[in-house]
Amino acid sequence: MAMTRKKPINLALQGGGAHGAFTWGVLDALLEDGRVHVEGISGTSAGAMNGVVVADGLMRGGEDGARQALSDFWHAVSDAGRFSPLQRSLIDIFMGNWSLDNNPAYLFFDLMNRLASPYDMNPFDVNPLRDILDEFVDFERVRSCDEMKIFISATNVETGRVKVFNRRELTLDMVMASACLPFLFKAVEIDDVPYWDGGYMGNPVLFPFFQTCSSEDILIVQINPIERPGTPRTAREILNRVNEITFNGSLMKELRAIDFVRRLIEDGRLDRKDYRRINLHMVEAQDEIAPLGASSKLNAEWTFLRYLFAIGRDTALDWLDRHYDDLGQRSTVDMRALFQGTENEQQELARALQ
């Protein structure tokens, strides 16, 4: 029996705290399935951590090594959170609720984040994830990984612009900068420049793929809900929705630009010799993830991480079975439905393009 040819693909991995375990499941499925070759990874925050763990694992033991490295990393994350005061309440456990909304420590923590800065509340800048990454990832090995390209995004605090760190220069500080939430941790300074979480300006960035990777397929692992029906009414609901919109904003702009160029190419108004027609794909499970709530992003309980992992695996395997043949041929994301909304909005856009 002839072996199925591996198709090249680029992965765009969003950040989302513990919800990054969903991405772990997606990566595990792709690596095990073997029908795609990951040419490049662009990651932010938890997506950045998943990306460097994969690169390190690939160098140590190929695809099986990458799968094992991811499992070890997320198990260590869970172990580190075992004695944290941020645990589910007995009521939440009984009700099967994964959020921490009823945990007194979380409520106090959430309130203090709005009243005091990490320079007051966390003067020693303690971040357990830093120690875990330092232990489980050899960044010299990551920098030498010739299996794939890696792009990690952070936000320059002074300029408000995105900074993209590539694989050849990657350090532990750069990954921690990509995951630096400004209400929890001090800005990470690299060459005397302060950086915050990359999600503000790129969650994640897509543009590095265009000139450095040959594959024209980008698979976005979507964690943060794009749509959420209903009007947020409590202060926490409003803040959480603002964060979701903010952390998707830069990605949506890039997707809109890609779709605009694609339509101009299809209409014959741009020459394919000068412009690339990017095929966009998306793996998401919003029916399962959206109801979890923002506080569950701090839930490092192993049972919860495995729950997200299983959803990610199943979703990715289903996507591969349905869309493997589409890779290299067409987009599998309905961009017009994603962007153009109502029929009136579609008509207004059509008039603007005439």
Side-chain angles (χ1 to χ4, degrees):
M1 180 183 296
M3 292 183 63
T4 303
R5 180 178 66 89
K6 284 191 175 186
K7 293 186 177 181
I9 194 171
N10 296 310
L11 300 180
L13 310 181
Q14 283 200 322
H19 293 187
F22 172 84
T23 303
W24 164 31
V26 172
L27 291 169
D28 187 81
L30 296 178
L31 291 165
E32 180 187 47
D33 182 89
R35 281 183 285 174
V36 298
H37 164 66
V38 180
E39 184 180 3
I41 286 181
S42 176
T44 296
S45 195
M49 295 182 186
N50 276 319
V52 296
V53 171
V54 166
D56 185 54
L58 282 173
M59 292 298 289
R60 286 191 282 121
E63 292 172 339
D64 288 338
R67 295 177 63 205
Q68 186 62 52
L70 284 166
S71 178
D72 292 343
F73 170 76
W74 282 100
H75 210 295
V77 170
S78 179
D79 287 344
R82 186 175 300 172
F83 302 106
S84 167
L86 299 178
Q87 305 287 342
R88 287 191 296 161
S89 68
L90 292 177
I91 295 176
D92 287 324
I93 294 174
F94 178 76
M95 297 296 294
N97 180 12
W98 296 109
S99 78
L100 306 177
D101 290 348
N102 296 314
N103 178 286
Y106 172 76
L107 295 174
F108 175 78
F109 187 66
D110 184 53
L111 175 62
M112 293 308 296
N113 281 341
R114 305 180 196 195
L115 299 176
S117 87
Y119 293 84
D120 301 317
M121 295 292 296
N122 188 9
F124 299 106
D125 206 26
V126 176
N127 188 341
L129 285 174
R130 182 182 183 89
D131 295 333
I132 294 172
L133 270 179
D134 194 28
E135 178 182 355
F136 281 87
V137 177
D138 183 333
F139 279 88
E140 184 175 349
R141 191 157 50 214
V142 171
R143 289 190 291 270
S144 66
C145 177
D146 56 1
E147 295 290 325
M148 65 182 183
K149 300 176 177 66
I150 303 177
F151 309 100
I152 304 301
S153 57
T155 301
N156 185 316
V157 177
E158 296 175 329
T159 67
R161 300 190 185 99
V162 67
K163 169 67 176 179
V164 180
F165 301 104
N166 64 57
R167 187 202 70 218
R168 294 178 181 176
E169 64 180 337
L170 269 184
T171 64
L172 174 61
D173 280 343
M174 293 173 183
V175 178
M176 297 312 299
S178 179
C180 179
L181 289 170
F183 298 106
L184 298 180
F185 308 109
K186 296 179 181 180
V188 177
E189 295 196 4
I190 301 171
D191 296 329
D192 297 323
V193 178
Y195 292 98
W196 282 339
D197 194 294
Y200 293 107
M201 295 306 297
N203 194 23
V205 293
L206 305 182
F207 64 83
F209 293 139
F210 304 153
Q211 294 184 350
T212 60
C213 297
S214 60
S215 173
E216 296 186 343
D217 290 273
I218 298 176
L219 175 61
I220 301 166
V221 181
Q222 182 78 25
I223 293 179
N224 299 287
I226 294 176
E227 296 185 6
R228 187 180 288 277
T231 303
R233 299 191 182 277
T234 69
R236 186 182 304 146
E237 289 173 345
I238 293 170
L239 181 60
N240 290 341
R241 186 53 183 155
V242 167
N243 286 335
E244 286 177 344
I245 294 172
T246 301
F247 273 53
N248 278 322
S250 57
L251 175 63
M252 296 293 284
K253 289 179 181 178
E254 282 200 272
L255 293 179
R256 189 182 295 275
I258 291 172
D259 182 57
F260 182 68
V261 171
R262 180 184 62 81
R263 286 186 284 114
L264 290 179
I265 292 174
E266 291 175 350
D267 293 342
R269 297 161 70 178
L270 290 178
D271 194 330
R272 282 214 63 177
K273 292 185 297 183
D274 301 317
Y275 295 89
R276 301 179 65 184
R277 184 182 182 277
I278 301 297
N279 300 316
L280 291 170
H281 315 278
M282 187 176 292
V283 169
E284 51 87 19
Q286 295 309 310
D287 289 343
E288 291 82 5
I289 292 181
L292 293 176
S295 68
S296 64
K297 293 180 179 181
L298 298 176
N299 184 354
E301 189 179 335
W302 182 241
T303 305
F304 179 51
L305 299 182
R306 288 291 303 182
Y307 168 75
L308 293 170
F309 167 82
I311 295 174
R313 262 189 66 87
D314 291 345
T315 304
L317 290 174
D318 176 68
W319 184 89
L320 273 171
D321 288 342
R322 289 185 293 113
H323 295 302
Y324 173 79
D325 291 337
D326 294 317
L327 292 176
Q329 302 297 320
R330 61 185 66 84
S331 292
T332 58
V333 176
D334 187 347
M335 302 299 288
R336 297 198 176 188
L338 188 62
F339 293 125
Q340 295 180 6
T342 67
E343 183 176 350
N344 288 338
E345 290 172 333
Q346 294 180 31
Q347 293 173 353
E348 290 177 4
L349 180 60
R351 287 195 294 270
L353 293 175
Q354 290 177 350

